[in-house]
Amino acid sequence: MARKTGSHADTTRPRVRAAALQLIAQHGFAAVSMRQIAAKVGVQAGALYNYTPDKQTLLFDLLHSHMDELLTARAAAVRQGPACQQLEGFIRFHIRWHLPRGDQVFVSYMELRNLTPENFAQIEQLRRTYEDELEAILRLGVAEAVFVVVDTKITTLALIAMLTGMNNWYRESGRLPLALIEEIYVDLARRAVGVASD
Amino acid sequence: MARKTGSHADTTRPRVRAAALQLIAQHGFAAVSMRQIAAKVGVQAGALYNYTPDKQTLLFDLLHSHMDELLTARAAAVRQGPACQQLEGFIRFHIRWHLPRGDQVFVSYMELRNLTPENFAQIEQLRRTYEDELEAILRLGVAEAVFVVVDTKITTLALIAMLTGMNNWYRESGRLPLALIEEIYVDLARRAVGVASD
DNA sequence: GTCTATATGAGGATAGAC
DNA sequence: GTCTATCCTCATATAGAC
């Protein structure tokens, strides 16, 4: 496992990212040192600078990749049919994509304030794009007269918060199976937009 | 009269807490130095140690006070009547107590991982106590057969996440008046537990 | 690409004067 | 209670050998 020198860029780069992500999720960006990350990867601190110009860029790359992957996955999902069906699809997509990515989701949410203003603005725009996906569905449902929603923006934010909050407590070893939890959240979302459950 | 040195414990202590809270909310606990806090208070770093044995204890005190104040306020609120009325009361209480305390709420949520395990356990217990307040209402509603809820614990967590998420976007200068937002959330909560809105 | 060594600065915390 | 001065540790980032 421990080789002393040589070319390992292809394997080391993802390992740097993985180590950084895990440590930042556990301790927070500001509390994690480049030395800690290097130690987890198994290299010296100086070697990290082959993969990132500085610590800030490392954080930005992690968050940017996260949002890119999320939006790419969402774009690949089915987004057709009546609003009620699309809403259910969005909820299930969100849960299935976010729950297995605890560290990424946590870091992407908690470390926003450690981005420089320029980097923050970029990430925030991507986040907004994702939220707009849900709001568009709510608007569609209102237009179809199947959703009863006072304000689509507020309801969107409330639903997103509800969904994202799952990552704070969900554990695979928990009391309820994921399938049931998913059903509960689909039901909560349907109720939130004023659609009777089936 | 403006003295440069002397006894200012009564005024300095709350100023230390206020400065720490604001800086931590803005930059994060690990990123804030004792020197920064001292500068904001207008004293030298060493003087802070008259008010806290160390930085960790300062954070713990902030979070502990926050939870104490929350639970005290909640205990003083009306908690009688049918479940439907109690639910509405809880939602309004939560919003009215949390929204004006942006920094405290943010710090209390974001800095949990920077507590020592012992300190974390204490805060977590207080948080649980608060959540149990809401779950008790849901259980009551189910017992009264006016709420239709698959799982009271999950629904409790979903509602709390929805409510706490408000702090992330609500601004006094925002698009909608607080009174309307409150109505929307009361309505969302009612729908979540399966009660038709009025 | 990784190493060792280091420049340069900031961090938490303490001691002792006033 | 606050100040100044300082100890000691640790941080990010860079330079140059291999």
Side-chain angles (χ1 to χ4, degrees):
Chain A
M1 171 125 177
R3 279 201 290 175
K4 288 219 177 113
T5 62
S7 295
H8 302 289
D10 290 350
T11 63
T12 304
R13 184 178 294 277
R15 293 180 64 223
V16 168
R17 293 171 59 94
L21 189 67
Q22 191 175 331
L23 285 169
I24 293 171
Q26 192 170 358
H27 306 290
F29 175 73
V32 171
S33 71
M34 296 297 270
R35 281 178 175 79
Q36 274 178 281
I37 297 171
K40 199 175 183 77
V41 174
V43 297
Q44 293 299 312
L48 297 180
Y49 291 87
N50 287 311
Y51 304 101
T52 181
D54 51 42
K55 198 185 174 194
Q56 164 71 207
T57 305
L58 178 56
L59 176 65
F60 175 69
D61 285 345
L62 289 174
L63 268 63
H64 195 273
S65 297
H66 174 76
M67 291 308 301
D68 263 355
E69 289 165 20
L70 171 61
L71 289 173
T72 299
R74 178 58 194 162
V78 177
R79 292 180 296 171
Q80 290 177 341
C84 199
Q85 181 181 318
Q86 282 197 47
L87 176 66
E88 179 175 338
F90 183 92
I91 303 295
R92 294 191 193 279
F93 166 82
H94 184 101
I95 293 174
R96 289 173 193 181
W97 197 87
H98 282 80
L99 273 196
R101 292 172 171 81
D103 282 354
Q104 286 102 312
V105 173
F106 191 70
V107 167
S108 291
Y109 179 62
M110 302 287 265
E111 304 300 348
L112 286 170
R113 66 182 158 178
N114 285 309
L115 294 172
T116 61
E118 299 75 23
N119 288 343
F120 175 80
Q122 282 191 58
I123 301 297
E124 206 47 27
Q125 170 140 3
L126 297 175
R127 179 179 305 273
R128 176 70 72 97
T129 301
Y130 182 67
E131 289 174 4
D132 287 347
E133 282 271 323
L134 177 54
E135 193 181 359
I137 295 172
L138 298 197
R139 286 186 194 279
L140 176 65
V142 170
E144 289 176 357
V146 295
F147 290 176
V148 180
V149 170
V150 175
D151 187 273
T152 54
K153 186 67 185 167
I154 300 281
T155 305
T156 297
L157 293 170
L159 285 174
I160 295 272
M162 195 178 80
L163 290 169
T164 304
M166 294 179 69
N167 278 68
N168 294 330
W169 55 261
Y170 175 76
R171 299 292 175 269
E172 257 189 86
S173 57
R175 181 169 51 91
L176 301 176
L178 179 53
L180 174 57
I181 294 174
E182 201 176 293
E183 295 308 319
I184 292 175
Y185 272 80
V186 167
D187 196 46
L188 284 170
R190 276 213 204 89
R191 292 179 178 191
V193 299
V195 174
S197 56
D198 39 50
Chain B
M1 70 198 248
R3 284 194 297 173
K4 285 234 176 95
T5 62
S7 296
H8 300 288
D10 291 349
T11 63
T12 304
R13 184 177 294 277
R15 294 181 61 223
V16 169
R17 294 170 58 96
L21 189 67
Q22 191 174 330
L23 285 170
I24 293 171
Q26 192 170 357
H27 305 289
F29 175 72
V32 171
S33 69
M34 295 298 270
R35 283 175 175 81
Q36 273 178 281
I37 297 171
K40 197 175 185 76
V41 173
V43 298
Q44 293 300 312
L48 295 180
Y49 291 87
N50 288 311
Y51 304 100
T52 181
D54 51 44
K55 198 186 175 195
Q56 164 72 207
T57 305
L58 178 56
L59 177 64
F60 175 69
D61 285 345
L62 289 175
L63 268 61
H64 196 274
S65 297
H66 174 76
M67 291 309 301
D68 262 355
E69 288 164 21
L70 171 61
L71 290 173
T72 300
R74 178 59 194 161
V78 177
R79 292 181 295 170
Q80 289 177 341
C84 198
Q85 180 181 318
Q86 282 198 47
L87 176 65
E88 178 175 338
F90 184 92
I91 303 296
R92 294 191 192 280
F93 166 82
H94 184 100
I95 293 174
R96 290 175 192 179
W97 197 86
H98 283 80
L99 273 197
R101 292 172 171 80
D103 283 353
Q104 286 102 313
V105 172
F106 191 69
V107 168
S108 291
Y109 180 62
M110 302 285 267
E111 304 300 348
L112 286 171
R113 64 183 158 176
N114 285 309
L115 294 172
T116 61
E118 300 75 23
N119 288 343
F120 175 80
Q122 282 191 57
I123 300 297
E124 206 47 26
Q125 170 139 4
L126 297 174
R127 180 180 305 270
R128 176 70 72 97
T129 302
Y130 182 67
E131 289 173 4
D132 287 347
E133 282 269 324
L134 177 55
E135 192 180 1
I137 295 172
L138 299 196
R139 285 187 193 280
L140 176 64
V142 171
E144 288 176 358
V146 294
F147 291 175
V148 180
V149 171
V150 174
D151 187 273
T152 54
K153 186 67 185 168
I154 300 282
T155 306
T156 296
L157 293 171
L159 284 174
I160 295 271
M162 194 178 82
L163 289 168
T164 305
M166 293 179 69
N167 278 68
N168 293 330
W169 55 261
Y170 175 76
R171 299 292 175 269
E172 258 189 84
S173 57
R175 181 170 52 90
L176 301 176
L178 178 54
L180 175 56
I181 295 174
E182 201 176 295
E183 295 307 319
I184 292 174
Y185 272 80
V186 167
D187 196 45
L188 284 169
R190 276 213 204 90
R191 292 178 178 191
V193 299
V195 174
S197 56
D198 38 50

